[in-house]
Amino acid sequence: MARAWGLLLAIGVVLPTWLSSTKVSSLIERISDPKDLKKLLRTRNNVLVLYSESEVAAESHLKLLSTVAQAVKGQGTICWVDCGDAESRKLCKKMKVDLSPKDKKIELFHYHDGAFHMQYDRAVTLKSIVAFLKDPKGPPLWEEDPGAKDVVHIDSEKDFRRLLKREEKPLLMMFYAPWCSMCKRIMPHFQKAATQVRGHIVLAGMNVYPSEFENIKEEYNVRGYPTICYFEKGRFLFPYENYGSTAEDIVEWLKNPLPPQPQVPETPWADEGGSVYHLTDEDFDQFVKEHSSVLVMFHAPWCGHCKKMKPEFESAAEVLHGDAESSGVLAAVDATVNEALAGRFHISAFPTLKYFKNGEQQAVPALRTKKKFIEWMQNPEAPPPPEPTWEEQQTTVLHLVGDNFRDTLKKKKHTLVMFYAPWCPHCKKVIPHFTATADAFKEDRKIACAAVDCVKDKNQDLCQQEAVKAYPTFHYYHYGKLVEKYESDRTELGFTSFIRTLREGDLKRLEKRREEL
């Protein structure tokens, strides 16, 4: 028998795939025909292809990619092309894969929406490849930054608890979210400080944004990102709050760690004097009636943007106050104290400007400088009409309210619902992706993408009943029944992959039922 196999090999007979010595996961698609790859790229929008010089060269990568394929099942596709196989050489040449250099045995190419996206150039590790496939256009993981080699990167609550238990040296832990701009600004300083204090103090980082870390966020009062906590011998002592720090600031503080000092209360703006009128819930209406042109700044004492605008606003008020021909005045309202006014004018961000002409509110453009304030008050012009709200736009997203929420969902087999607030920046960022997802499935009557504005009075009780505690929150419903909270990528790719997985599951169940019949 052995001689027979030897004869077959000697005369160049190609052995079938099932005789290959390389074990390949059923989740990895082996392709050799250009037409098959073209068809796959046309039907899958997130594909990572391993091109190898030979089976032997691919072996270690295939073991890793098998685990990756399991982790991204329903969100991404892994393929393998053996360029050493006679049948596949044409495909590799067509896809412009060059494995001729002696040191180049494999290539990883990523394709997005049917087209080449990029050559994979990040760390070839399970965590890095999975993160890439879940968000191909997102930033690399923090630990992939060569400068972050001295930061201890924690992935799980178990590893975090183990670190606290075993670490004898002082520990500075940054709880962060990958999308957080403040985190991104401080990370280079944090990792530089980690290198400077290496061997004496441990600096660590942990992405606690996923819902699985709610216990840690609650325990260490993580209410925003980053939250940096200082530990000694596993015991939390106090937070580090100087988020504008340089590496030198962090190292200097670690020489003598002290809890945050209580801040001296600031003098309320209303008590400082000046030419800005400070209005309250009680006198606001009467004031705007008595003054024909009033620009009002709603502010909060803690708001950094308000503090930056305040001297510009005050200087403009002084100029207008001395202008005999101008009847315009500038006024301010502390929205944290005058809650009735804040609620009445739907103030949800600071600073917010409102303009009143003869007692009637009118639209006002974005103004931030002394010059712009004065120009506007001297010649108020009607700005272009405000952009339509998401609900007012013509899209295929279903906008629901408490009255029709249940009845509408019961009519749809699969509904992904986005609970949001119009003022929420993260919601604004994701709206185009969610809208595009709704458009992608508009022909399927069983599938819907719906939205609920939790700020509306009619929806506040509904959002509370659905346990919505942050914006945006995504829930998946099956014929009106809540099945799970969507925790994956907030991108069109993430949403569509999730819904396609649901639809593919329906098809598999239908095929199984037909087989049984």
Side-chain angles (χ1 to χ4, degrees):
M1 184 69 177
R3 291 180 64 188
W5 282 120
L7 180 60
L8 287 172
L9 291 172
I11 62 176
V13 174
V14 178
L15 297 179
T17 304
W18 57 269
L19 289 173
S20 166
S21 61
T22 303
K23 293 183 179 180
V24 184
S25 165
S26 60
L27 294 174
I28 295 180
E29 301 194 30
R30 183 169 183 176
I31 295 178
S32 57
D33 190 325
K35 291 180 181 178
D36 290 342
L37 181 58
K38 187 175 181 180
K39 181 180 178 181
L40 184 136
L41 295 179
R42 194 168 59 244
T43 56
R44 311 283 178 87
N45 60 4
N46 184 25
V47 181
L48 185 67
V49 181
L50 170 68
Y51 296 96
S52 68
E53 179 194 54
S54 64
E55 283 196 3
V56 174
E59 193 168 356
S60 62
H61 282 77
L62 286 172
K63 288 179 181 177
L64 171 63
L65 292 176
S66 296
T67 311
V68 171
Q70 185 64 45
V72 299
K73 187 177 179 182
Q75 295 175 279
T77 301
I78 309 288
C79 298
W80 172 38
V81 179
D82 178 9
C83 296
D85 177 66
E87 193 179 352
S88 304
R89 285 176 193 151
K90 183 179 176 182
L91 170 56
C92 296
K93 186 176 181 180
K94 187 177 180 67
M95 302 308 288
K96 299 180 180 178
V97 178
D98 182 14
L99 296 173
S100 57
K102 291 183 178 180
D103 60 340
K104 188 181 286 187
K105 303 294 184 183
I106 63 102
E107 287 281 19
L108 281 168
F109 283 5
H110 183 257
Y111 301 86
H112 186 255
D113 290 337
F116 175 76
H117 171 222
M118 64 177 288
Q119 182 177 347
Y120 181 81
D121 58 358
R122 300 187 190 174
V124 184
T125 63
L126 172 63
K127 186 178 179 184
S128 293
I129 299 177
V130 168
F132 171 78
L133 284 173
K134 288 188 174 182
D135 186 10
K137 296 184 179 180
L141 298 174
W142 187 11
E143 51 262 52
E144 292 181 38
D145 186 337
K149 65 182 186 305
D150 293 316
V151 175
V152 177
H153 300 280
I154 302 299
D155 297 325
S156 66
E157 182 171 350
K158 183 179 180 181
D159 288 344
F160 172 65
R161 303 293 180 194
R162 187 183 293 125
L163 177 65
L164 292 184
K165 188 174 182 180
R166 74 162 190 259
E167 189 55 67
E168 291 293 323
K169 295 186 284 293
L171 168 67
L172 192 63
M173 167 66 72
M174 182 195 295
F175 298 111
Y176 69 93
W179 46 261
C180 159
S181 57
M182 178 64 77
C183 303
K184 292 176 184 176
R185 282 200 294 272
I186 198 173
M187 279 175 176
H189 301 288
F190 196 81
Q191 58 197 41
K192 186 177 177 182
T195 299
Q196 292 183 23
V197 300
R198 182 179 57 192
H200 304 285
I201 301 171
V202 174
L203 271 64
M206 184 176 184
N207 171 17
V208 294
Y209 181 65
S211 58
E212 63 195 84
F213 298 119
E214 292 300 327
N215 290 338
I216 289 179
K217 286 187 272 192
E218 188 66 31
E219 183 176 351
Y220 295 103
N221 196 34
V222 179
R223 297 290 180 264
Y225 302 105
T227 293
I228 303 178
C229 297
Y230 179 71
F231 298 80
E232 286 186 0
K233 294 185 178 179
R235 187 167 63 91
F236 170 57
L237 296 185
F238 37 74
Y240 175 80
E241 295 186 348
N242 185 10
Y243 298 128
S245 299
T246 63
E248 290 68 28
D249 294 330
I250 297 172
V251 172
E252 190 62 32
W253 183 84
L254 287 170
K255 291 178 181 177
N256 183 29
L258 293 172
Q261 300 301 308
Q263 295 183 349
V264 178
E266 295 183 18
T267 304
W269 188 6
D271 295 343
E272 294 179 7
S275 301
V276 173
Y277 293 89
H278 294 273
L279 309 180
T280 65
D281 289 335
E282 290 73 28
D283 62 16
F284 182 89
D285 290 329
Q286 186 63 33
F287 184 88
V288 296
K289 284 181 181 178
E290 294 174 352
H291 295 80
S292 60
S293 178
V294 186
L295 183 63
V296 183
M297 172 180 164
F298 287 84
H299 67 96
W302 45 261
C303 162
H305 295 297
C306 303
K307 293 175 182 178
K308 187 175 180 180
M309 184 191 287
K310 178 179 158 185
E312 300 283 327
F313 202 72
E314 192 71 65
S315 298
E318 291 178 10
V319 173
L320 294 170
H321 189 70
D323 185 356
E325 297 180 3
S326 172
S327 58
V329 295
L330 302 189
V333 173
D334 183 342
T336 64
V337 175
N338 301 286
E339 295 179 357
L341 282 173
R344 176 174 151 193
F345 291 109
H346 307 290
I347 306 301
S348 55
F350 304 108
T352 293
L353 294 175
K354 300 287 183 182
Y355 178 69
F356 298 85
K357 184 73 173 177
N358 297 321
E360 297 293 328
Q361 183 180 342
Q362 295 186 5
V364 59
L367 307 171
R368 288 291 183 268
T369 65
K370 171 184 174 181
K371 181 181 177 182
K372 293 296 183 183
F373 293 136
I374 295 172
E375 287 176 353
W376 168 260
M377 294 302 289
Q378 290 177 339
N379 184 26
E381 298 176 358
E387 292 185 8
T389 64
W390 188 19
E391 198 166 345
E392 293 169 343
Q393 296 172 26
Q394 295 296 319
T395 72
T396 47
V397 175
L398 302 177
H399 290 274
L400 307 179
V401 293
D403 299 340
N404 65 7
F405 182 79
R406 298 291 172 197
D407 291 339
T408 302
L409 295 191
K410 286 178 182 177
K411 298 174 184 176
K412 299 292 182 180
K413 188 168 188 178
H414 305 297
T415 308
L416 188 60
V417 180
M418 174 177 168
F419 297 90
Y420 74 102
W423 47 262
C424 158
H426 302 304
C427 303
K428 292 176 182 177
K429 184 178 179 180
V430 81
I431 281 173
H433 297 279
F434 197 73
T435 302
T437 303
D439 291 339
F441 296 97
K442 64 183 178 183
E443 302 299 330
D444 194 327
R445 295 182 180 180
K446 295 181 180 180
I447 295 172
C449 291
V452 175
D453 179 355
C454 290
V455 176
K456 282 188 174 181
D457 293 338
K458 291 183 179 180
N459 292 336
Q460 289 179 3
D461 289 341
L462 169 63
C463 294
Q464 188 172 1
Q465 290 169 9
E466 299 303 299
V468 177
K469 298 179 181 179
Y471 306 121
T473 290
F474 299 89
H475 286 173
Y476 161 58
Y477 296 83
H478 182 261
Y479 286 127
K481 183 179 179 181
L482 176 60
V483 177
E484 63 179 292
K485 185 177 180 181
Y486 175 84
E487 297 281 12
S488 192
D489 299 332
R490 299 173 177 184
T491 61
E492 181 183 351
L493 174 61
F495 295 135
T496 54
S497 297
F498 175 75
I499 294 173
R500 283 196 181 101
T501 302
L502 299 172
R503 191 162 63 177
E504 288 171 6
D506 289 342
L507 292 173
K508 288 178 181 177
R509 282 190 289 272
L510 180 60
E511 289 172 2
K512 185 177 181 181
R513 196 176 300 123
R514 285 173 179 168
E515 290 173 2
E516 291 171 351
L517 293 173

